[in-house]
Amino acid sequence: MNGGLSRDAMIADLPTVCDIGTKRNAKGHTTRWQGYKFHIDVTDGDIPISGLLTSASLHDSQAALPLATRTASRVTYCYEWMDAAYDGAEIHQNAVESGHVALIDPNPRRDRDRKERLAADSPLRHGRSGPQGLWIHQRNASSSARASNG
């Protein structure tokens, strides 16, 4: 599902220049920073397995496949647990093709019907506990850095 690119080619294709990152939180507030973003795969015990440093402007989901490919070369795991930013057909399909169970929070985006269905199901979604086994959870950490002029 990676378009035939090798793991190294996928990683090399990611931007790594210092630039401006923007995120909108659940309350609609926007945060901006200059620097980089560190994407990391961790186990369910928050033990780091793999990481990638990218430009701050890269959307988290764009690092998902290169990071999952790197992680799969290091450990054997069964579940891919990600937040709603990773809810996309290509990421789901890659997990299935890799023999993993995708545990990805649904993102209704602009689909009003899906948003209403998810709201009705929310008591079931919150506080769920997952199956036993090794989970790989993708996270990112924003890093602020100033570009030097010299």
Side-chain angles (χ1 to χ4, degrees), residues 55-99:
S55 299
S57 62
L58 186 78
H59 189 275
D60 296 344
S61 65
Q62 293 176 287
L65 296 182
L67 194 55
T69 304
R70 177 178 275 179
T71 298
S73 72
R74 295 178 176 179
V75 296
T76 300
Y77 58 98
C78 301
Y79 305 97
E80 296 191 27
W81 177 38
M82 301 177 204
D83 66 34
Y86 301 92
D87 183 20
E90 188 174 6
I91 295 172
H92 280 274
Q93 185 175 351
N94 185 73
V96 170
E97 288 175 357
S98 300

Side-chain angles (χ1 to χ4, degrees), residues 7-132:
R7 179 187 72 224
D8 293 338
M10 283 191 289
I11 292 169
D13 205 27
L14 297 173
T16 57
V17 298
C18 180
D19 67 3
I20 305 296
T22 305
K23 279 213 177 218
R24 185 175 312 208
N25 68 19
K27 294 183 179 181
H29 297 102
T30 301
T31 302
R32 290 183 173 83
W33 71 96
Q34 180 178 359
Y36 302 91
K37 193 182 288 184
F38 187 67
H39 307 267
I40 187 167
D41 270 356
V42 298
T43 66
D44 59 343
D46 289 336
I47 299 167
I49 302 295
S50 301
L52 295 171
L53 185 70
T54 68
S55 299
S57 62
L58 186 78
H59 189 275
D60 296 344
S61 65
Q62 293 176 287
L65 296 182
L67 194 55
T69 304
R70 177 178 275 179
T71 298
S73 72
R74 295 178 176 179
V75 296
T76 300
Y77 58 98
C78 301
Y79 305 97
E80 296 191 27
W81 177 38
M82 301 177 204
D83 66 34
Y86 301 92
D87 183 20
E90 188 174 6
I91 295 172
H92 280 274
Q93 185 175 351
N94 185 73
V96 170
E97 288 175 357
S98 300
H100 304 146
V101 176
L103 301 171
I104 303 173
D105 286 336
N107 186 341
R109 292 180 179 80
R110 294 188 177 107
D111 184 339
R112 181 174 294 232
D113 291 336
R114 188 174 185 203
K115 191 177 283 190
E116 290 171 1
R117 285 191 313 271
L118 291 172
D121 288 343
S122 66
L124 300 175
R125 290 179 47 232
H126 296 290
R128 70 176 177 210
S129 61
Q132 296 298 311

